[in-house]
């Protein structure tokens, strides 16, 4: 899965990783791991992130082609 969290975090008023973490109630390390692609958030966290950065969930997180193949 590809994510565009870093891009939309900046577009949402240049939020720092810490500010975003506080708004969605996770650690800064969690935000770092998501942005690096090392961690896929729960649906609940993904929805919170999309609300804070004001972007559709499917624009924030995108499945790669191999994720669609069986």
């Amino acid at each position: 899965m590809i994510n565009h969290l870093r891009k939309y975090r900046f577009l949402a008023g240049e939020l720092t990783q810490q500010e975003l973490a506080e708004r969605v109630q996770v650690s800064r390390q969690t935000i770092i791991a998501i942005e690096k692609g090392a961690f896929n958030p729960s649906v609940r966290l993904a929805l919170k992130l999309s609300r804070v950065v004001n972007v559709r969930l499917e624009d924030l997180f995108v499945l790669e082609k191999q994720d669609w193949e069986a």
Side-chain angles (χ1 to χ4, degrees):
M1 180 165 64
I2 299 169
N3 78 75
H4 302 286
L5 183 57
R6 182 176 169 85
K7 169 186 168 184
Y8 287 115
R9 180 168 57 81
F10 282 110
L11 292 174
E14 297 187 22
L15 287 171
T16 66
Q17 291 170 333
Q18 184 64 44
E19 290 168 333
L20 179 57
E22 289 171 2
R23 290 182 66 178
V24 297
Q25 300 174 320
V26 298
S27 69
R28 181 174 157 264
Q29 288 76 18
T30 298
I31 300 300
I32 292 167
I34 293 169
E35 288 185 354
K36 287 184 175 181
F39 176 74
N40 289 328
S42 67
V43 173
R44 181 183 185 111
L45 178 53
L47 288 167
K48 284 180 166 185
L49 290 166
S50 71
R51 278 197 179 168
V52 170
V53 298
N54 197 30
V55 65
R56 296 180 325 154
L57 184 63
E58 57 269 25
D59 293 332
L60 189 56
F61 297 97
V62 180
L63 287 176
E64 295 179 89
K65 184 178 179 183
Q66 67 265 21
D67 294 330
W68 286 99
E69 298 172 354

